[in-house]
Amino acid sequence: MSFRTIPSTAALCLLGLTAACSNGTTDPDTTATSTAQGPASRTAYPLTIDNCGREITFEEPPSRVLLLNGTSVAEVESFIALGLQDRILANSQSYGVSDDPDMVDRIAALPTGDLSLNENFEVPREQVLDLAPDLVISTWAGGFDAATGSATRDQLATAGINSLVTPANCAYGDPSARPEDQQRHDTQSVESSFELLYTLGEIFDVSDRAAGHVEQARADLKNIAEAVEGAEPVNVLVVYPGMAMMNNNGLPAVFAGGLFDDIVERAGAVNVFAGSSGPELADINIEALATADVDVLVIGLFEADEDGDAYARDLFERFPAWDASQTGTYTTVSDSFYLGPLNALAVARIADAAHDLP
């Protein structure tokens, strides 16, 4: 089986490996209110944005950023894609493997501030305040919950520290989230990854870079859509064997719903468990897997020492009734299947496996 990736020039641009446009000065006397969805333009400071129902004002681009949530890489990879590594004071996000061959090393090279995560994989409140960042970013609203040992947004504001939740996850971990934020979370898609890039682009006055990455990603996705147009949709099962602890039956974690369904659909395929929620996915049993109509198996990788080929062989032996087991049709993805700047890579890999693209 061939494993297709985006053409090298497109991938380099998408991943932030080419030179980006320069970041200049702004008029400090102009106040702007942001929607973080529009075309590339210079940011006017002070900049006020709405984030999860809170108004946040930036007097200038942040320069001492703390990235929370050790189990996410959406934010740190977006910083790298936008060339904002020098703004990171401390990063707690990491992932063992990446669909971008340089990403793991680039994340490892970032400062960590000697942080130590607590049992909830969060940075303890005292460490956050001691670092004195000018912006703290969490991938989910729960990252600012006192119950997890974290500094709350109010505590940070009292200390003169701005805070930001990734826009698509304002309702994640916040039972009192606004209806519009809940809707945004429930309907996540590749567009949600673009929204994060646009938001960061505006805050840091690099909207030109964000727009460039999004435009290239849209072009890559358009090329894939044209390549699979008219092809019969195939059924895809996406599992992360290394995350079996997420499944109540100890089976490989099944990924479906929202962004995951959108990535599969853009590849000219259908997620076998499309539309399922987290609790529903955790309750999938061996019978449901065995009787699923699976044309293509997608193995998600989580740690550097995981063997996608071995995982595939094991699952094909355990579930011989799958068409994928009989044809040996599978591919692998890792971080590109999550919220972040690499989604087009996941679409390309799945489209290739599903339709044997040239």
Side-chain angles (χ1 to χ4, degrees), residues 14 193-195 197-198 209-219:
L14 175 66
S193 296
F194 296 161
E195 182 182 26
L197 287 169
Y198 279 135
R209 302 180 195 178
H213 283 286
V214 172
E215 288 168 7
Q216 183 62 64
R218 290 194 194 282

Side-chain angles (χ1 to χ4, degrees), residues 43-169:
T43 300
Y45 298 99
L47 167 72
T48 299
I49 67 171
D50 174 281
N51 180 241
C52 311
R54 300 174 69 103
E55 282 198 349
I56 308 168
T57 297
F58 298 92
E59 300 294 335
E60 60 184 1
S63 61
R64 294 172 52 83
V65 181
L66 168 60
L67 300 178
L68 301 179
N69 318 122
T71 55
S72 172
V73 287
E75 295 73 30
V76 69
E77 290 188 353
S78 294
F79 266 70
I80 289 172
L82 296 177
L84 296 171
Q85 298 95 311
D86 63 336
R87 309 300 180 89
I88 297 176
L89 170 67
N91 169 54
S92 72
Q93 300 184 352
S94 64
Y95 200 71
V97 63
S98 176
D99 293 320
D100 167 11
D102 297 322
M103 188 60 76
V104 172
D105 288 341
R106 298 180 80 178
I107 292 175
L110 296 172
T112 64
D114 294 324
L115 299 173
S116 58
L117 304 184
N118 62 22
E119 66 277 7
N120 298 308
F121 299 98
E122 299 292 353
V123 181
R125 177 187 308 106
E126 295 75 16
Q127 291 186 41
V128 172
L129 296 175
D130 286 346
L131 278 173
D134 57 8
L135 174 62
V136 180
I137 299 179
S138 174
T139 196
W140 68 311
F144 294 117
D145 188 346
T148 66
S150 304
T152 68
R153 301 189 77 174
D154 287 338
Q155 288 171 334
L156 292 172
T158 297
I161 301 170
N162 273 332
S163 60
L164 182 80
V165 175
T166 292
N169 286 330

Side-chain angles (χ1 to χ4, degrees), residues 226-279:
E226 291 174 349
V228 302
E229 185 176 7
E232 186 70 23
V234 299
N235 296 316
V236 169
L237 173 66
V238 184
V239 294
Y240 276 70
M243 297 184 183
M245 74 290 293
M246 294 173 59
N247 192 306
N248 294 337
N249 298 293
L251 296 168
V254 177
F255 278 50
L259 171 66
F260 310 130
D261 290 353
D262 185 41
I263 288 174
V264 171
E265 184 177 348
R266 289 172 184 263
V270 177
N271 196 322
V272 171
F273 292 97
S276 297
S277 66

Side-chain angles (χ1 to χ4, degrees), residues 146-227:
T148 66
S150 304
T152 68
R153 301 189 77 174
D154 287 338
Q155 288 171 334
L156 292 172
T158 297
I161 301 170
N162 273 332
S163 60
L164 182 80
V165 175
T166 292
N169 286 330
C170 283
Y172 185 21
D174 181 4
S176 60
R178 298 178 299 179
E180 59 265 38
D181 288 327
Q182 187 65 57
Q183 173 71 9
R184 178 184 283 174
H185 178 260
D186 293 343
T187 59
Q188 283 190 32
S189 69
V190 172
E191 295 295 326
S192 304
S193 296
F194 296 161
E195 182 182 26
L196 175 57
L197 287 169
Y198 279 135
T199 299
L200 295 176
E202 186 169 35
I203 291 172
F204 290 89
D205 194 17
V206 291
S207 291
D208 49 356
R209 302 180 195 178
H213 283 286
V214 172
E215 288 168 7
Q216 183 62 64
R218 290 194 194 282
D220 294 331
L221 293 169
K222 182 175 182 290
N223 289 338
I224 297 169
E226 291 174 349

Side-chain angles (χ1 to χ4, degrees), residues 333-345:
V333 296
S334 58
D335 53 342
S336 65
F337 203 65
Y338 298 117
L339 193 72
L342 307 183
N343 293 156
L345 295 178

Side-chain angles (χ1 to χ4, degrees), residues 8-28:
S8 58
T9 54
L12 288 174
C13 184
L14 175 66
L15 301 175
L17 302 178
T18 56
C21 298
S22 63
N23 174 26
T25 59
T26 57
D27 180 357

